[in-house]
Amino acid sequence: DTEVTQTPKHLVMGMTNKKSLKCEQHMGHRAMYWYKQKAKKPPELMFVYSYEKLSINESVPSRFSPECPNSSLLNLHLHALQPEDSALYLCASSQPDRGIYNEQFFGPGTRLTVL
Amino acid sequence: GENVEQHPSTLSVQEGDSAVIKCTYSDSASNYFPWYKQELGKRPQLIIDIRSNVGEKKDQRIAVTLNKTAKHFSLHITETQPEDSAVYFCAAPRYSSASKIIFGSGTRLSIRP
């Protein structure tokens, strides 16, 4: 299995809602990432988990809360979002190797709309 | 600051012609340079990558060249086809404060029939 899966594909939520995005991979990768991508822009890194520990938080607002329950799963909990948070949220995974980068495999993304 | 610059932002070529996209990076410690293709509404997918111990890598119609001295790398697509139409992103690691990939701003490639 060489795929990263994400659910849901689309999500519409109000500013007072609480929702979660889910990501799963079964490639044995021990690094997982959340990216935010606005239209016509490159993916923008939000969080990195390495061996199930949060290793990078790119100064993301606390209304985004990541969670890595195990080596295959990555969640992004959303609460009190703003309309400007509407974007495509991409999950990715890779195999960490000290000092050596390996290919990141991206999921199909969740298109989030905040009303 | 540490970033990756990508040019051009849009590129239109006749089907069958070649396309070249260029990127420059600032972190001299960078040693891995991937190129991603993102079709409309789809996920980014790696099409080719190169490590700093080689100067060129080819995979059928796609090639990447790396000039470490000048800190730039380029994507070359030959004999372009309609299915090559997409947005292409270059990327490079940033080591100075935290290890992560920095993406270029993207190039929208259109292939004219």
Side-chain angles (χ1 to χ4, degrees):
Chain A
D1 185 355
T2 57
E3 265 215 334
V4 177
T5 59
Q6 288 186 244
T7 56
K9 288 186 179 177
H10 302 276
L11 178 62
V12 179
M13 60 186 289
M15 289 190 283
T16 58
N17 291 158
K18 282 187 184 182
K19 297 285 184 184
S20 297
L21 309 185
K22 296 186 182 300
C23 174
E24 190 167 3
Q25 56 89 14
H26 294 289
M27 293 179 278
H29 291 168
R30 300 305 295 276
M32 296 186 77
Y33 311 78
W34 279 116
Y35 288 88
K36 174 183 177 180
Q37 187 176 27
K38 300 282 267 186
K40 301 184 180 182
K41 296 289 187 183
E44 181 184 334
L45 185 67
M46 300 174 71
F47 302 104
V48 180
Y49 273 84
S50 181
Y51 295 95
E52 295 87 72
K53 287 186 167 47
L54 183 65
S55 61
I56 296 178
N57 176 340
E58 288 290 291
S59 303
V60 178
S62 59
R63 58 186 184 269
F64 295 91
S65 175
E67 179 196 17
C68 191
N70 60 52
S71 60
S72 300
L73 293 173
L74 185 66
N75 298 322
L76 186 63
H77 302 297
L78 314 173
H79 174 55
L81 294 194
Q82 304 295 310
E84 59 265 30
D85 296 323
S86 298
L88 180 68
Y89 287 84
L90 292 161
C91 173
S93 71
S94 70
Q95 188 60 290
D97 193 349
R98 189 179 296 276
I100 298 175
Y101 269 93
N102 291 310
E103 176 183 355
Q104 289 190 22
F105 291 79
F106 283 86
T110 293
R111 187 156 302 280
L112 174 68
T113 303
V114 182
L115 300 177
Chain B
E2 290 138 343
N3 55 21
V4 177
E5 294 189 3
Q6 183 171 346
H7 299 280
S9 57
T10 60
L11 180 60
S12 178
V13 301
Q14 193 75 34
E15 183 178 350
D17 288 351
S18 296
V20 180
I21 303 170
K22 299 182 179 182
C23 286
T24 59
Y25 61 97
S26 55
D27 190 339
S28 56
S30 295
N31 60 6
Y32 173 68
F33 306 93
W35 284 91
Y36 285 87
K37 175 184 181 182
Q38 188 173 26
E39 296 177 60
L40 191 63
K42 301 277 184 70
R43 73 189 81 189
Q45 290 198 292
L46 184 79
I47 54 170
I48 196 167
D49 55 13
I50 191 169
R51 297 192 187 273
S52 57
N53 57 345
V54 296
E56 184 176 5
K57 183 176 177 181
K58 278 186 181 178
D59 182 2
Q60 300 182 336
R61 297 186 296 108
I62 294 171
V64 56
T65 58
L66 171 64
N67 183 327
K68 283 217 75 176
T69 304
K71 291 193 224 170
H72 63 71
F73 56 112
S74 300
L75 177 71
H76 304 253
I77 306 175
T78 58
E79 300 172 24
T80 53
Q81 299 170 3
E83 55 264 35
D84 295 328
S85 295
V87 178
Y88 292 81
F89 293 103
C90 62
R94 187 186 81 184
Y95 289 97
S96 60
S97 59
S99 296
K100 72 176 196 180
I101 292 283
I102 304 289
F103 284 88
S105 53
T107 297
R108 182 171 299 278
L109 175 63
S110 301
I111 308 301
R112 303 191 303 271

